[in-house]
Amino acid sequence: MMSQPRPSKTGRAPGAASQDAAPGPRGMAVHYSIIALALLAGILFAGFCALGTWQVKRLFWKLDLIERVEQRVHAPATDAPGPAAWASITPQTDEYRHVRLSGTYLPIFNTLVQATTALGSGYWLVTPLRLADGSTVLVNRGFVPKRASIAASTPAGVVHIEGLLRISETGGGFLRENSPATQHWYSRDVAAIGASHMLSNVAPYFVDAKEKSETASDAPVGGLTVISFHNNHLVYALTWFALALMVAGITWWLVREDKRRRARGAQRQESDHAGQD
């Protein structure tokens, strides 16, 4: 009579293959999959860390920009850049500079640009200012509530303006394109406005007139420039670094579980061999 094989200490028949054993096709496939995932995770971790670091650099750049703009706004007014300096004007070095200029308004070329302000919806009244050297600077005289306000009284003779230098706003706004042919404007596009009125030697910037630049009863309301910078770089940086930590955590857990699985498989193999002996 043949004797029945004794059960092993693990409760399985001797010689039964362990699914957790490190050797064998299935165990090795799982192991190599973990290695591939770890390599992919390493790439993702490095990428997320790089993006987080870039956002930190952007954060410090933005804070420095805000500080420089605040200094420009509150600095004493200086002469607005003349034609010789126009080519070197950039948003980084000149936007929101406190400037002064003198000249004569050309009200025949008044332009209304759609605007939304703290006073409600309406228009910016933009008027060309002809300077003594023959150049022209567009001046945003301020806010008017309705289109009929294009007939607002304009100071005669030589006027002295103080305000903030602004960079031309090309294209349009409010999800609409500027229409020079119909004089419907949604952004203060200096070149396009100047061309529509056939003005020459127009500065590549405009000036937002300061508050109470004009005193007439129907005068536009100046001084409504909104100085605001989107600064979400810290949130973005934390998000990227959090994703990097998540990838690292998941990878650590997978590698740890793979090691435990392989260790359990090795122990079961030893147990099986001991049972056979």
Side-chain angles (χ1 to χ4, degrees):
M1 181 175 179
M2 296 179 61
S3 61
Q4 295 294 326
R6 291 179 301 166
S8 68
K9 293 181 181 180
T10 58
R12 290 176 299 175
S18 170
Q19 293 182 350
D20 288 332
R26 181 172 180 180
M28 293 306 296
V30 172
H31 180 61
Y32 288 138
S33 296
I34 296 296
I35 293 176
L37 287 173
L39 291 174
L40 176 60
I43 295 173
L44 291 174
F45 179 82
F48 290 148
C49 286
L51 289 170
T53 301
W54 177 67
Q55 287 295 339
V56 170
K57 292 180 179 179
R58 292 282 296 173
L59 170 64
F60 285 108
W61 171 83
K62 184 62 68 67
L63 293 175
D64 180 65
L65 173 63
I66 292 172
E67 182 180 358
R68 284 188 281 115
V69 167
E70 286 294 325
Q71 291 175 352
R72 292 176 202 164
V73 170
H74 298 102
T78 58
D79 292 337
W86 288 354
S88 61
I89 292 176
T90 66
Q92 292 75 22
T93 59
D94 297 282
E95 183 92 70
Y96 300 109
R97 279 177 55 188
H98 187 191
V99 298
R100 60 174 178 258
L101 62 166
S102 301
T104 305
Y105 277 130
L106 305 176
I108 191 175
F109 300 123
N110 278 347
T111 301
L112 290 177
V113 180
Q114 187 168 329
T116 299
T117 71
L119 301 178
S121 297
Y123 302 88
W124 298 121
L125 179 55
V126 178
T127 305
L129 184 74
R130 180 64 52 81
L131 277 59
D133 63 1
S135 62
T136 302
V137 175
L138 298 188
V139 176
N140 174 24
R141 294 163 57 194
F143 173 80
V144 292
K146 51 188 177 181
R147 194 165 185 84
S149 299
I150 197 168
S153 60
T154 303
V158 175
V159 295
H160 304 283
I161 305 296
E162 279 193 21
L164 300 179
L165 185 151
R166 303 293 309 280
I167 302 299
S168 179
E169 302 167 343
T170 59
F174 299 94
L175 302 179
R176 298 180 182 179
E177 295 291 328
N178 293 324
S179 177
T182 59
Q183 287 297 297
H184 284 86
W185 300 94
Y186 305 98
S187 71
R188 290 161 291 189
D189 188 331
V190 170
I193 292 174
S196 73
H197 297 306
M198 293 183 289
L199 297 171
S200 60
N201 205 20
V202 178
Y205 60 84
F206 63 94
V207 173
D208 277 345
K210 70 177 184 179
E211 185 179 7
K212 298 181 180 178
S213 293
E214 301 179 34
T215 57
S217 60
D218 63 345
V221 180
L224 296 179
T225 305
V226 176
I227 302 175
S228 177
F229 297 92
H230 295 291
N231 188 11
N232 297 320
H233 299 298
L234 179 59
V235 174
Y236 296 152
L238 293 175
T239 300
W240 290 123
F241 286 135
L243 288 172
L245 289 176
M246 289 174 59
V247 168
I250 293 172
T251 303
W252 173 82
W253 181 83
L254 287 174
V255 171
R256 186 194 65 176
E257 290 301 307
D258 182 54
K259 287 182 177 179
R260 288 182 175 178
R261 180 189 60 79
R262 290 166 62 80
R264 287 195 302 266
Q267 289 176 357
R268 287 173 180 169
Q269 277 193 330
E270 291 177 0
S271 226
D272 288 345
H273 290 314
Q276 290 176 355
D277 294 338

